[in-house]
Amino acid sequence: MEILPQNSTDPLHMHELSIVLSIVKIAEKEAVKAGADKIRKIELEIGELSGIEMESFNFAWKEAIKSTMLADASKEVQRTPGKARCLECGSEFRMNHLYDGCPQCNNYFVDVIGGKELNVVSIFV
């Protein structure tokens, strides 16, 4: 089964594929523990700073769930915005990129406090 576009050597596709395959494995393991043979819905939390390219993720998802317990499941994705705290002035701010500096004092030493999440929130069987 080929899941990458023809002539694609983009490593991002492989990154998202491995993540999707891990999610499928987690979901199926939990569904089996619950005595289910099918998953109706899965809810995911994916942070905007997690490094996941959503177009590649969705492409990999469509292909990876075929012939799995998730084949007919709906998928809901909550995107968590990036958030940081400045280590110099303590200001908290919205972060669009991992290397954004503090808008208050222009310091680049920050603690990322949101947006790197990658969680299976719930599975409905």
Side-chain angles (χ1 to χ4, degrees):
M1 163 178 66
E2 182 167 337
I3 62 148
L4 296 176
Q6 290 185 353
N7 302 322
S8 176
T9 57
D10 185 354
L12 289 178
H13 288 293
M14 295 306 291
H15 170 73
E16 277 71 17
L17 175 60
S18 65
I19 291 168
V20 167
L21 291 173
S22 293
I23 292 170
V24 169
K25 184 177 179 180
I26 290 166
E28 288 188 324
K29 180 180 175 185
E30 293 302 316
V32 167
K33 281 199 307 194
D37 60 356
K38 182 178 179 178
I39 298 170
R40 294 184 296 114
K41 180 179 178 181
I42 186 166
E43 294 178 343
L44 307 171
E45 177 184 31
I46 301 176
E48 292 177 358
L49 302 176
S50 65
I52 295 175
E53 206 294 311
M54 289 308 295
E55 186 176 337
S56 295
F57 179 86
N58 290 329
F59 176 81
W61 182 268
K62 270 194 315 191
E63 297 301 320
I65 65 168
K66 291 178 180 176
S67 302
T68 72
M69 294 173 78
L70 285 157
D72 297 319
S74 64
K75 170 180 54 97
E76 186 176 303
V77 177
Q78 174 188 350
R79 297 287 283 167
T80 309
K83 190 173 180 182
R85 181 180 303 112
C86 178
L87 297 176
E88 181 69 28
C89 71
S91 169
E92 289 187 10
F93 59 95
R94 172 91 160 83
M95 190 175 220
N96 296 315
H97 307 286
L98 276 175
Y99 301 106
D100 287 350
C102 175
Q104 297 297 316
C105 69
N106 296 318
N107 182 31
Y108 285 91
F109 294 105
V110 300
D111 184 22
V112 178
I113 58 174
K116 294 180 83 174
E117 299 82 3
L118 176 55
N119 299 308
V120 176
V121 176
S122 59
I123 301 164
F124 296 85
V125 294

